[in-house]
Amino acid sequence: MRGTGSRIARRFEALKAEGRAGFVTFITAGDPNAETSAAILKGLPAAGADIIELGMPFTDPMADGPAIQHASQRALAAGQTMDRTLAMVRDFRKADGDTPIVLMGYYNPIYIRGAERFSRQAAEAGVDGLIVVDLPPEEDAELRGPAAAVGIDLVRLTAPTSDEKRLPVLAAGASGFIYHVSVAGVTGAKSAAEGSVAADVARIRRFSGLPVAVGFGIRTPDQAASVARVADAAVVGSAIVERIAAAVKGGESPPPDMLARSVLGFVSELAAGVRGARTVPA
Amino acid sequence: MTQSSVEKPNSYRALPDDRGHFGIYGGRFVAETLMPLILEVEAAWDAARADPAFQAELDDFLKHYVGRPSPLYHAARLTEHLGGAKIYFKRDELNHTGAHKINNTMGQILLARRMGKKRIIAETGAGQHGVATATVCARFGMPCVVYMGRTDIERQAPNVFRMKLLGAEVVPVDSGSATLKDAMNEALRDWVSNVEDTFYIIGTVAGPHPYPAMVRDFQSVIGNEVREQIMEAEGRLPDSLCACIGGGSNAMGLFHPFLDEASVRIWAVEAAGLGLDSGRHAASLTAGRPGVLHGNRTYLLQDEEGQITEAHSISAGLDYPGIGPEHAWLRDAGRVEYVSATDDEALEAFQLCSRLEGIIPALEPAHALAHVIRAAPELPRDHLLVMNMCGRGDKDVFTVADALGVTL
């Protein structure tokens, strides 16, 4: 690690200094295959991603809508493993020492590897944070401890159902940033109204001083801009993953560079939306 | 992954703890959006079970609508044929809708009404839980959506039609392997998208706390009745119990009231499919290892990467890669003996029971029966063995005909 604090903390400090919100992108590791996925990952920072969420594919992604379900299936069918996902990060880190990488997924593939062993390997590969969708605060101590020991943030999620009673539970022990799920639903579903996102973010800020990233249902540069006006970062996942799905429809995957260019072009449009959203910090 | 060794507890009936854990198993592994809702279900369930009016209402429906108590029947011809233990069947296949599932759906829909919920969702594999849920939804005039894997819809057409007759919407699930585990994923996705008005009726002793304990308590009517009935028939407790396990709800219902009776030997029978060595089975306790899926930590069929693998059984109701977390704990504690029976053994038992007793069992309890057929001849004639006949076989006649090479 360079400088002080984690890559995630430094990135949010830099964004604050720039007076803009961050742009967080999600792709599933190994989708549609290892080579293409690595090419997309490498190009994300230049396309405007400030933080990268990298999905760990799982057979039973019960919080995800069809787009990310299919991405998981494509990756697993192409032979993606946890070792390969970690190798992707290690490879990415050779050229990029600054862009935070947050692994996102479900607990079983981590649990089966062992929380300590997984955390150690992830830290060695250059992972900065973890988002584990099915690990609420009541159950996350067994991963939070080992992750913290190697400098990895276990990012807590909040939801529209997180009320004043629930938020203190979520804020206690949170680190890195808060990931706010802006709609009650699965990834890639309906979009939240701007007003409700603003109110949710304001409520979260009463209980946590951490940056708040907002995700779920953000599909266009305009929607990303709208979220960027009220939150510290906007997350886009399904809409990016759908570009990959469309390109491989029919079975044949285009050459990795060609597919990566097309996906990264869309990422640039989204990034422009976020960067143009405001000129002063929220 | 090391298996937790469980020290012998003072009671096998004291769990879960207040966070829903049975040793290392159970818990609440769900998306944060659902957590406030699940805490609400738990609070409502705690209040309901302490309320005599709730129990009285449930008892009334169990008696007049479900048809409880179900008989405890001495299977005399089977006993004579096997030449050993005295065999009793707990006749839960005589319940309304033909299986034990309605004991639980009736309890949960009364809880849903008490909570003011307006819409019911459920997952189903063989369709028995879907039918039992659609039935109580019809009875109480509540909209019902049942998620069912496309593969299961094709092999359980009669139950799909029954659910539709009862007014339920059956939603085909194409994701993943298009079977029960995927139907459960899809039900969880619906729930997370409709948190305000929807109650999820889970069909077995699995899922996030409080479901494993709540479903067990609703199904314990089976074991509680057996206790009274065997005392009346024999003047003493049974020497052994036997039940099949998919998710494990009929077994838990029979076993739980007897767990602290040290003299009662308990067998649970998993589906060994084409054989444990074939890799095509549903024996998560015998051949799986601990993991996290569908809201709880328990034994799962999975690969070395922690990806969930396909279960296989001729019985769609046992065709699930997990198991209720309390069974996982009872296995490690050594209180219950977990054994298995193959598709072929279940088919043999299915036919034998039909011919000898005039009872066509469902393929699920046919697995329990297959173990009874193995065990009973080795036991003395004064050994009292109670097996849970948890479902009837009408739904399975096409599957069995197909397996026996008979064209209907």
Side-chain angles (χ1 to χ4, degrees), chain A residues 59-61 64 82 108 138-139 142 161 166, chain B residues 19 28 32-33 185 189 292 297 302 305-306:
Chain A
T59 40
D60 293 78
D64 286 301
M82 189 67 88
N108 200 52
E138 282 82 351
E139 305 286 353
E142 65 188 56
T161 52
R166 187 70 186 156
Chain B
R19 292 189 308 141
R28 272 189 278 243
E32 180 55 37
T33 308
N185 290 334
R189 290 179 188 124
V292 172
R297 187 182 345 243
Q302 55 184 319
E305 285 278 307

mmCIF file with all atom_site columns, all heavy atoms in Angstrom, chain A residues 59-61 64 82 108 138-139 142 161 166, chain B residues 19 28 32-33 185 189 292 297 302 305-306:
data_model
loop_
_atom_site.group_PDB
_atom_site.id
_atom_site.type_symbol
_atom_site.label_atom_id
_atom_site.label_alt_id
_atom_site.label_comp_id
_atom_site.label_asym_id
_atom_site.label_entity_id
_atom_site.label_seq_id
_atom_site.pdbx_PDB_ins_code
_atom_site.Cartn_x
_atom_site.Cartn_y
_atom_site.Cartn_z
_atom_site.occupancy
_atom_site.B_iso_or_equiv
_atom_site.pdbx_formal_charge
_atom_site.auth_seq_id
_atom_site.auth_comp_id
_atom_site.auth_asym_id
_atom_site.auth_atom_id
_atom_site.pdbx_PDB_model_num
ATOM 1   N N   . THR A 1 59  ? -23.203 -19.996 -8.213 1.00 0.00 ? 59  THR A N   1
ATOM 2   C CA  . THR A 1 59  ? -24.305 -20.717 -8.865 1.00 0.00 ? 59  THR A CA  1
ATOM 3   C C   . THR A 1 59  ? -25.682 -20.196 -8.453 1.00 0.00 ? 59  THR A C   1
ATOM 4   O O   . THR A 1 59  ? -26.640 -20.345 -9.203 1.00 0.00 ? 59  THR A O   1
ATOM 5   C CB  . THR A 1 59  ? -24.268 -22.214 -8.479 1.00 0.00 ? 59  THR A CB  1
ATOM 6   O OG1 . THR A 1 59  ? -23.938 -22.325 -7.092 1.00 0.00 ? 59  THR A OG1 1
ATOM 7   C CG2 . THR A 1 59  ? -23.286 -22.982 -9.329 1.00 0.00 ? 59  THR A CG2 1
ATOM 8   N N   . ASP A 1 60  ? -25.796 -19.635 -7.246 1.00 0.00 ? 60  ASP A N   1
ATOM 9   C CA  . ASP A 1 60  ? -27.112 -19.290 -6.718 1.00 0.00 ? 60  ASP A CA  1
ATOM 10  C C   . ASP A 1 60  ? -27.175 -17.841 -6.235 1.00 0.00 ? 60  ASP A C   1
ATOM 11  O O   . ASP A 1 60  ? -27.352 -17.591 -5.039 1.00 0.00 ? 60  ASP A O   1
ATOM 12  C CB  . ASP A 1 60  ? -27.487 -20.267 -5.590 1.00 0.00 ? 60  ASP A CB  1
ATOM 13  C CG  . ASP A 1 60  ? -27.706 -21.665 -6.133 1.00 0.00 ? 60  ASP A CG  1
ATOM 14  O OD1 . ASP A 1 60  ? -26.700 -22.361 -6.408 1.00 0.00 ? 60  ASP A OD1 1
ATOM 15  O OD2 . ASP A 1 60  ? -28.865 -22.056 -6.302 1.00 0.00 ? 60  ASP A OD2 1
ATOM 16  N N   . PRO A 1 61  ? -27.049 -16.887 -7.191 1.00 0.00 ? 61  PRO A N   1
ATOM 17  C CA  . PRO A 1 61  ? -27.001 -15.465 -6.813 1.00 0.00 ? 61  PRO A CA  1
ATOM 18  C C   . PRO A 1 61  ? -28.394 -14.903 -6.526 1.00 0.00 ? 61  PRO A C   1
ATOM 19  O O   . PRO A 1 61  ? -28.999 -14.277 -7.361 1.00 0.00 ? 61  PRO A O   1
ATOM 20  C CB  . PRO A 1 61  ? -26.377 -14.813 -8.053 1.00 0.00 ? 61  PRO A CB  1
ATOM 21  C CG  . PRO A 1 61  ? -26.775 -15.695 -9.192 1.00 0.00 ? 61  PRO A CG  1
ATOM 22  C CD  . PRO A 1 61  ? -26.941 -17.089 -8.643 1.00 0.00 ? 61  PRO A CD  1
ATOM 23  N N   . ASP A 1 64  ? -29.566 -11.188 -7.147 1.00 0.00 ? 64  ASP A N   1
ATOM 24  C CA  . ASP A 1 64  ? -29.319 -10.620 -8.466 1.00 0.00 ? 64  ASP A CA  1
ATOM 25  C C   . ASP A 1 64  ? -30.438 -10.891 -9.444 1.00 0.00 ? 64  ASP A C   1
ATOM 26  O O   . ASP A 1 64  ? -31.045 -11.962 -9.444 1.00 0.00 ? 64  ASP A O   1
ATOM 27  C CB  . ASP A 1 64  ? -28.003 -11.174 -9.036 1.00 0.00 ? 64  ASP A CB  1
ATOM 28  C CG  . ASP A 1 64  ? -26.796 -10.556 -8.359 1.00 0.00 ? 64  ASP A CG  1
ATOM 29  O OD1 . ASP A 1 64  ? -26.669 -9.327  -8.421 1.00 0.00 ? 64  ASP A OD1 1
ATOM 30  O OD2 . ASP A 1 64  ? -26.011 -11.301 -7.743 1.00 0.00 ? 64  ASP A OD2 1
ATOM 31  N N   . MET A 1 82  ? -12.150 -19.206 -8.088 1.00 0.00 ? 82  MET A N   1
ATOM 32  C CA  . MET A 1 82  ? -11.698 -18.141 -7.187 1.00 0.00 ? 82  MET A CA  1
ATOM 33  C C   . MET A 1 82  ? -10.225 -17.837 -7.430 1.00 0.00 ? 82  MET A C   1
ATOM 34  O O   . MET A 1 82  ? -9.808  -16.672 -7.403 1.00 0.00 ? 82  MET A O   1
ATOM 35  C CB  . MET A 1 82  ? -11.939 -18.550 -5.729 1.00 0.00 ? 82  MET A CB  1
ATOM 36  C CG  . MET A 1 82  ? -11.699 -17.427 -4.743 1.00 0.00 ? 82  MET A CG  1
ATOM 37  S SD  . MET A 1 82  ? -12.897 -16.090 -4.896 1.00 0.00 ? 82  MET A SD  1
ATOM 38  C CE  . MET A 1 82  ? -14.183 -16.705 -3.791 1.00 0.00 ? 82  MET A CE  1
ATOM 39  N N   . ASN A 1 108 ? -20.743 -18.351 0.374  1.00 0.00 ? 108 ASN A N   1
ATOM 40  C CA  . ASN A 1 108 ? -20.297 -19.750 0.369  1.00 0.00 ? 108 ASN A CA  1
ATOM 41  C C   . ASN A 1 108 ? -18.924 -19.993 -0.269 1.00 0.00 ? 108 ASN A C   1
ATOM 42  O O   . ASN A 1 108 ? -18.114 -20.723 0.314  1.00 0.00 ? 108 ASN A O   1
ATOM 43  C CB  . ASN A 1 108 ? -21.351 -20.669 -0.256 1.00 0.00 ? 108 ASN A CB  1
ATOM 44  C CG  . ASN A 1 108 ? -21.141 -22.108 0.162  1.00 0.00 ? 108 ASN A CG  1
ATOM 45  O OD1 . ASN A 1 108 ? -21.034 -22.397 1.358  1.00 0.00 ? 108 ASN A OD1 1
ATOM 46  N ND2 . ASN A 1 108 ? -21.034 -23.013 -0.798 1.00 0.00 ? 108 ASN A ND2 1
ATOM 47  N N   . GLU A 1 138 ? -25.204 -9.400  11.646 1.00 0.00 ? 138 GLU A N   1
ATOM 48  C CA  . GLU A 1 138 ? -25.386 -10.447 12.659 1.00 0.00 ? 138 GLU A CA  1
ATOM 49  C C   . GLU A 1 138 ? -24.485 -11.647 12.403 1.00 0.00 ? 138 GLU A C   1
ATOM 50  O O   . GLU A 1 138 ? -24.213 -12.432 13.311 1.00 0.00 ? 138 GLU A O   1
ATOM 51  C CB  . GLU A 1 138 ? -26.849 -10.917 12.671 1.00 0.00 ? 138 GLU A CB  1
ATOM 52  C CG  . GLU A 1 138 ? -27.805 -9.980  13.382 1.00 0.00 ? 138 GLU A CG  1
ATOM 53  C CD  . GLU A 1 138 ? -28.272 -8.819  12.508 1.00 0.00 ? 138 GLU A CD  1
ATOM 54  O OE1 . GLU A 1 138 ? -27.718 -8.636  11.397 1.00 0.00 ? 138 GLU A OE1 1
ATOM 55  O OE2 . GLU A 1 138 ? -29.181 -8.089  12.940 1.00 0.00 ? 138 GLU A OE2 1
ATOM 56  N N   . GLU A 1 139 ? -24.067 -11.837 11.141 1.00 0.00 ? 139 GLU A N   1
ATOM 57  C CA  . GLU A 1 139 ? -23.290 -13.028 10.793 1.00 0.00 ? 139 GLU A CA  1
ATOM 58  C C   . GLU A 1 139 ? -21.885 -12.703 10.298 1.00 0.00 ? 139 GLU A C   1
ATOM 59  O O   . GLU A 1 139 ? -21.123 -13.621 9.984  1.00 0.00 ? 139 GLU A O   1
ATOM 60  C CB  . GLU A 1 139 ? -24.018 -13.831 9.689  1.00 0.00 ? 139 GLU A CB  1
ATOM 61  C CG  . GLU A 1 139 ? -25.457 -14.218 10.000 1.00 0.00 ? 139 GLU A CG  1
ATOM 62  C CD  . GLU A 1 139 ? -25.567 -15.341 11.027 1.00 0.00 ? 139 GLU A CD  1
ATOM 63  O OE1 . GLU A 1 139 ? -24.528 -15.928 11.404 1.00 0.00 ? 139 GLU A OE1 1
ATOM 64  O OE2 . GLU A 1 139 ? -26.707 -15.625 11.454 1.00 0.00 ? 139 GLU A OE2 1
ATOM 65  N N   . GLU A 1 142 ? -17.254 -13.328 11.519 1.00 0.00 ? 142 GLU A N   1
ATOM 66  C CA  . GLU A 1 142 ? -16.278 -14.361 11.157 1.00 0.00 ? 142 GLU A CA  1
ATOM 67  C C   . GLU A 1 142 ? -15.468 -14.001 9.918  1.00 0.00 ? 142 GLU A C   1
ATOM 68  O O   . GLU A 1 142 ? -14.404 -14.569 9.690  1.00 0.00 ? 142 GLU A O   1
ATOM 69  C CB  . GLU A 1 142 ? -16.975 -15.725 10.980 1.00 0.00 ? 142 GLU A CB  1
ATOM 70  C CG  . GLU A 1 142 ? -17.952 -15.795 9.820  1.00 0.00 ? 142 GLU A CG  1
ATOM 71  C CD  . GLU A 1 142 ? -18.756 -17.099 9.831  1.00 0.00 ? 142 GLU A CD  1
ATOM 72  O OE1 . GLU A 1 142 ? -19.408 -17.389 10.849 1.00 0.00 ? 142 GLU A OE1 1
ATOM 73  O OE2 . GLU A 1 142 ? -18.716 -17.817 8.813  1.00 0.00 ? 142 GLU A OE2 1
ATOM 74  N N   . THR A 1 161 ? -35.237 -0.450  3.308  1.00 0.00 ? 161 THR A N   1
ATOM 75  C CA  . THR A 1 161 ? -35.889 -0.956  4.517  1.00 0.00 ? 161 THR A CA  1
ATOM 76  C C   . THR A 1 161 ? -35.071 -0.678  5.782  1.00 0.00 ? 161 THR A C   1
ATOM 77  O O   . THR A 1 161 ? -35.489 -1.039  6.875  1.00 0.00 ? 161 THR A O   1
ATOM 78  C CB  . THR A 1 161 ? -36.104 -2.485  4.401  1.00 0.00 ? 161 THR A CB  1
ATOM 79  O OG1 . THR A 1 161 ? -34.855 -3.085  4.058  1.00 0.00 ? 161 THR A OG1 1
ATOM 80  C CG2 . THR A 1 161 ? -37.129 -2.822  3.336  1.00 0.00 ? 161 THR A CG2 1
ATOM 81  N N   . ARG A 1 166 ? -32.477 0.104   12.499 1.00 0.00 ? 166 ARG A N   1
ATOM 82  C CA  . ARG A 1 166 ? -31.538 -0.805  11.834 1.00 0.00 ? 166 ARG A CA  1
ATOM 83  C C   . ARG A 1 166 ? -30.198 -0.128  11.516 1.00 0.00 ? 166 ARG A C   1
ATOM 84  O O   . ARG A 1 166 ? -29.151 -0.776  11.571 1.00 0.00 ? 166 ARG A O   1
ATOM 85  C CB  . ARG A 1 166 ? -32.193 -1.313  10.533 1.00 0.00 ? 166 ARG A CB  1
ATOM 86  C CG  . ARG A 1 166 ? -31.400 -2.398  9.804  1.00 0.00 ? 166 ARG A CG  1
ATOM 87  C CD  . ARG A 1 166 ? -31.408 -3.700  10.553 1.00 0.00 ? 166 ARG A CD  1
ATOM 88  N NE  . ARG A 1 166 ? -30.538 -4.673  9.907  1.00 0.00 ? 166 ARG A NE  1
ATOM 89  C CZ  . ARG A 1 166 ? -29.989 -5.713  10.528 1.00 0.00 ? 166 ARG A CZ  1
ATOM 90  N NH1 . ARG A 1 166 ? -30.227 -5.918  11.809 1.00 0.00 ? 166 ARG A NH1 1
ATOM 91  N NH2 . ARG A 1 166 ? -29.212 -6.544  9.877  1.00 0.00 ? 166 ARG A NH2 1
ATOM 92  N N   . ARG B 2 19  ? -30.233 -16.022 18.236 1.00 0.00 ? 19  ARG B N   1
ATOM 93  C CA  . ARG B 2 19  ? -29.918 -15.546 16.881 1.00 0.00 ? 19  ARG B CA  1
ATOM 94  C C   . ARG B 2 19  ? -30.154 -16.626 15.835 1.00 0.00 ? 19  ARG B C   1
ATOM 95  O O   . ARG B 2 19  ? -29.746 -16.517 14.686 1.00 0.00 ? 19  ARG B O   1
ATOM 96  C CB  . ARG B 2 19  ? -28.480 -15.026 16.817 1.00 0.00 ? 19  ARG B CB  1
ATOM 97  C CG  . ARG B 2 19  ? -28.290 -13.727 17.642 1.00 0.00 ? 19  ARG B CG  1
ATOM 98  C CD  . ARG B 2 19  ? -26.930 -13.118 17.400 1.00 0.00 ? 19  ARG B CD  1
ATOM 99  N NE  . ARG B 2 19  ? -25.875 -14.113 17.607 1.00 0.00 ? 19  ARG B NE  1
ATOM 100 C CZ  . ARG B 2 19  ? -24.788 -14.210 16.857 1.00 0.00 ? 19  ARG B CZ  1
ATOM 101 N NH1 . ARG B 2 19  ? -24.598 -13.377 15.855 1.00 0.00 ? 19  ARG B NH1 1
ATOM 102 N NH2 . ARG B 2 19  ? -23.883 -15.129 17.117 1.00 0.00 ? 19  ARG B NH2 1
ATOM 103 N N   . ARG B 2 28  ? -28.850 -16.355 9.947  1.00 0.00 ? 28  ARG B N   1
ATOM 104 C CA  . ARG B 2 28  ? -29.651 -15.520 9.042  1.00 0.00 ? 28  ARG B CA  1
ATOM 105 C C   . ARG B 2 28  ? -28.743 -14.954 7.973  1.00 0.00 ? 28  ARG B C   1
ATOM 106 O O   . ARG B 2 28  ? -28.220 -13.853 8.119  1.00 0.00 ? 28  ARG B O   1
ATOM 107 C CB  . ARG B 2 28  ? -30.287 -14.377 9.826  1.00 0.00 ? 28  ARG B CB  1
ATOM 108 C CG  . ARG B 2 28  ? -31.621 -14.721 10.427 1.00 0.00 ? 28  ARG B CG  1
ATOM 109 C CD  . ARG B 2 28  ? -32.277 -13.498 11.001 1.00 0.00 ? 28  ARG B CD  1
ATOM 110 N NE  . ARG B 2 28  ? -31.773 -13.218 12.303 1.00 0.00 ? 28  ARG B NE  1
ATOM 111 C CZ  . ARG B 2 28  ? -32.523 -13.232 13.413 1.00 0.00 ? 28  ARG B CZ  1
ATOM 112 N NH1 . ARG B 2 28  ? -33.803 -13.483 13.349 1.00 0.00 ? 28  ARG B NH1 1
ATOM 113 N NH2 . ARG B 2 28  ? -31.985 -12.968 14.579 1.00 0.00 ? 28  ARG B NH2 1
ATOM 114 N N   . GLU B 2 32  ? -29.488 -7.617  3.077  1.00 0.00 ? 32  GLU B N   1
ATOM 115 C CA  . GLU B 2 32  ? -29.861 -6.655  4.111  1.00 0.00 ? 32  GLU B CA  1
ATOM 116 C C   . GLU B 2 32  ? -31.295 -6.152  3.933  1.00 0.00 ? 32  GLU B C   1
ATOM 117 O O   . GLU B 2 32  ? -31.990 -5.906  4.931  1.00 0.00 ? 32  GLU B O   1
ATOM 118 C CB  . GLU B 2 32  ? -28.865 -5.488  4.113  1.00 0.00 ? 32  GLU B CB  1
ATOM 119 C CG  . GLU B 2 32  ? -29.150 -4.418  5.138  1.00 0.00 ? 32  GLU B CG  1
ATOM 120 C CD  . GLU B 2 32  ? -29.254 -4.953  6.571  1.00 0.00 ? 32  GLU B CD  1
ATOM 121 O OE1 . GLU B 2 32  ? -28.490 -5.873  6.928  1.00 0.00 ? 32  GLU B OE1 1
ATOM 122 O OE2 . GLU B 2 32  ? -30.106 -4.442  7.330  1.00 0.00 ? 32  GLU B OE2 1
ATOM 123 N N   . THR B 2 33  ? -31.741 -6.024  2.692  1.00 0.00 ? 33  THR B N   1
ATOM 124 C CA  . THR B 2 33  ? -33.111 -5.555  2.451  1.00 0.00 ? 33  THR B CA  1
ATOM 125 C C   . THR B 2 33  ? -34.124 -6.406  3.217  1.00 0.00 ? 33  THR B C   1
ATOM 126 O O   . THR B 2 33  ? -35.140 -5.896  3.688  1.00 0.00 ? 33  THR B O   1
ATOM 127 C CB  . THR B 2 33  ? -33.428 -5.616  0.938  1.00 0.00 ? 33  THR B CB  1
ATOM 128 O OG1 . THR B 2 33  ? -32.390 -4.937  0.231  1.00 0.00 ? 33  THR B OG1 1
ATOM 129 C CG2 . THR B 2 33  ? -34.754 -4.954  0.619  1.00 0.00 ? 33  THR B CG2 1
ATOM 130 N N   . ASN B 2 185 ? -34.433 -19.552 -4.827 1.00 0.00 ? 185 ASN B N   1
ATOM 131 C CA  . ASN B 2 185 ? -33.754 -18.293 -5.181 1.00 0.00 ? 185 ASN B CA  1
ATOM 132 C C   . ASN B 2 185 ? -34.769 -17.280 -5.710 1.00 0.00 ? 185 ASN B C   1
ATOM 133 O O   . ASN B 2 185 ? -34.748 -16.108 -5.342 1.00 0.00 ? 185 ASN B O   1
ATOM 134 C CB  . ASN B 2 185 ? -32.704 -18.523 -6.272 1.00 0.00 ? 185 ASN B CB  1
ATOM 135 C CG  . ASN B 2 185 ? -31.506 -19.308 -5.776 1.00 0.00 ? 185 ASN B CG  1
ATOM 136 O OD1 . ASN B 2 185 ? -31.191 -19.292 -4.595 1.00 0.00 ? 185 ASN B OD1 1
ATOM 137 N ND2 . ASN B 2 185 ? -30.852 -20.019 -6.681 1.00 0.00 ? 185 ASN B ND2 1
ATOM 138 N N   . ARG B 2 189 ? -36.019 -13.616 -4.419 1.00 0.00 ? 189 ARG B N   1
ATOM 139 C CA  . ARG B 2 189 ? -35.951 -12.408 -5.254 1.00 0.00 ? 189 ARG B CA  1
ATOM 140 C C   . ARG B 2 189 ? -37.296 -11.686 -5.264 1.00 0.00 ? 189 ARG B C   1
ATOM 141 O O   . ARG B 2 189 ? -37.350 -10.456 -5.261 1.00 0.00 ? 189 ARG B O   1
ATOM 142 C CB  . ARG B 2 189 ? -35.536 -12.774 -6.686 1.00 0.00 ? 189 ARG B CB  1
ATOM 143 C CG  . ARG B 2 189 ? -34.101 -13.226 -6.783 1.00 0.00 ? 189 ARG B CG  1
ATOM 144 C CD  . ARG B 2 189 ? -33.708 -13.625 -8.220 1.00 0.00 ? 189 ARG B CD  1
ATOM 145 N NE  . ARG B 2 189 ? -32.392 -14.223 -8.221 1.00 0.00 ? 189 ARG B NE  1
ATOM 146 C CZ  . ARG B 2 189 ? -32.094 -15.434 -8.705 1.00 0.00 ? 189 ARG B CZ  1
ATOM 147 N NH1 . ARG B 2 189 ? -33.034 -16.182 -9.264 1.00 0.00 ? 189 ARG B NH1 1
ATOM 148 N NH2 . ARG B 2 189 ? -30.870 -15.902 -8.633 1.00 0.00 ? 189 ARG B NH2 1
ATOM 149 N N   . VAL B 2 292 ? -23.067 -22.259 3.143  1.00 0.00 ? 292 VAL B N   1
ATOM 150 C CA  . VAL B 2 292 ? -24.113 -21.259 3.378  1.00 0.00 ? 292 VAL B CA  1
ATOM 151 C C   . VAL B 2 292 ? -24.940 -21.086 2.107  1.00 0.00 ? 292 VAL B C   1
ATOM 152 O O   . VAL B 2 292 ? -24.401 -20.800 1.037  1.00 0.00 ? 292 VAL B O   1
ATOM 153 C CB  . VAL B 2 292 ? -23.490 -19.904 3.783  1.00 0.00 ? 292 VAL B CB  1
ATOM 154 C CG1 . VAL B 2 292 ? -24.563 -18.818 3.842  1.00 0.00 ? 292 VAL B CG1 1
ATOM 155 C CG2 . VAL B 2 292 ? -22.783 -20.030 5.128  1.00 0.00 ? 292 VAL B CG2 1
ATOM 156 N N   . ARG B 2 297 ? -26.651 -21.684 7.407  1.00 0.00 ? 297 ARG B N   1
ATOM 157 C CA  . ARG B 2 297 ? -25.473 -22.533 7.272  1.00 0.00 ? 297 ARG B CA  1
ATOM 158 C C   . ARG B 2 297 ? -25.898 -23.958 7.577  1.00 0.00 ? 297 ARG B C   1
ATOM 159 O O   . ARG B 2 297 ? -26.555 -24.223 8.581  1.00 0.00 ? 297 ARG B O   1
ATOM 160 C CB  . ARG B 2 297 ? -24.370 -22.100 8.234  1.00 0.00 ? 297 ARG B CB  1
ATOM 161 C CG  . ARG B 2 297 ? -23.088 -22.866 7.990  1.00 0.00 ? 297 ARG B CG  1
ATOM 162 C CD  . ARG B 2 297 ? -21.911 -22.548 8.925  1.00 0.00 ? 297 ARG B CD  1
ATOM 163 N NE  . ARG B 2 297 ? -22.020 -21.358 9.699  1.00 0.00 ? 297 ARG B NE  1
ATOM 164 C CZ  . ARG B 2 297 ? -21.190 -20.293 9.607  1.00 0.00 ? 297 ARG B CZ  1
ATOM 165 N NH1 . ARG B 2 297 ? -20.190 -20.314 8.755  1.00 0.00 ? 297 ARG B NH1 1
ATOM 166 N NH2 . ARG B 2 297 ? -21.359 -19.246 10.375 1.00 0.00 ? 297 ARG B NH2 1
ATOM 167 N N   . GLN B 2 302 ? -21.907 -29.561 -2.782 1.00 0.00 ? 302 GLN B N   1
ATOM 168 C CA  . GLN B 2 302 ? -21.161 -28.480 -3.422 1.00 0.00 ? 302 GLN B CA  1
ATOM 169 C C   . GLN B 2 302 ? -19.817 -29.010 -3.892 1.00 0.00 ? 302 GLN B C   1
ATOM 170 O O   . GLN B 2 302 ? -19.361 -30.055 -3.445 1.00 0.00 ? 302 GLN B O   1
ATOM 171 C CB  . GLN B 2 302 ? -20.963 -27.334 -2.432 1.00 0.00 ? 302 GLN B CB  1
ATOM 172 C CG  . GLN B 2 302 ? -20.304 -27.760 -1.118 1.00 0.00 ? 302 GLN B CG  1
ATOM 173 C CD  . GLN B 2 302 ? -20.213 -26.621 -0.105 1.00 0.00 ? 302 GLN B CD  1
ATOM 174 O OE1 . GLN B 2 302 ? -19.919 -25.511 -0.477 1.00 0.00 ? 302 GLN B OE1 1
ATOM 175 N NE2 . GLN B 2 302 ? -20.452 -26.921 1.164  1.00 0.00 ? 302 GLN B NE2 1
ATOM 176 N N   . GLU B 2 305 ? -15.046 -25.515 -4.952 1.00 0.00 ? 305 GLU B N   1
ATOM 177 C CA  . GLU B 2 305 ? -15.080 -24.058 -5.087 1.00 0.00 ? 305 GLU B CA  1
ATOM 178 C C   . GLU B 2 305 ? -16.222 -23.431 -4.301 1.00 0.00 ? 305 GLU B C   1
ATOM 179 O O   . GLU B 2 305 ? -16.400 -22.217 -4.327 1.00 0.00 ? 305 GLU B O   1
ATOM 180 C CB  . GLU B 2 305 ? -15.253 -23.691 -6.568 1.00 0.00 ? 305 GLU B CB  1
ATOM 181 C CG  . GLU B 2 305 ? -14.005 -23.873 -7.399 1.00 0.00 ? 305 GLU B CG  1
ATOM 182 C CD  . GLU B 2 305 ? -13.062 -22.681 -7.251 1.00 0.00 ? 305 GLU B CD  1
ATOM 183 O OE1 . GLU B 2 305 ? -13.504 -21.547 -7.447 1.00 0.00 ? 305 GLU B OE1 1
ATOM 184 O OE2 . GLU B 2 305 ? -11.890 -22.903 -6.912 1.00 0.00 ? 305 GLU B OE2 1
ATOM 185 N N   . GLY B 2 306 ? -17.050 -24.274 -3.680 1.00 0.00 ? 306 GLY B N   1
ATOM 186 C CA  . GLY B 2 306 ? -18.205 -23.729 -2.978 1.00 0.00 ? 306 GLY B CA  1
ATOM 187 C C   . GLY B 2 306 ? -19.373 -23.426 -3.905 1.00 0.00 ? 306 GLY B C   1
ATOM 188 O O   . GLY B 2 306 ? -20.295 -22.706 -3.530 1.00 0.00 ? 306 GLY B O   1
#
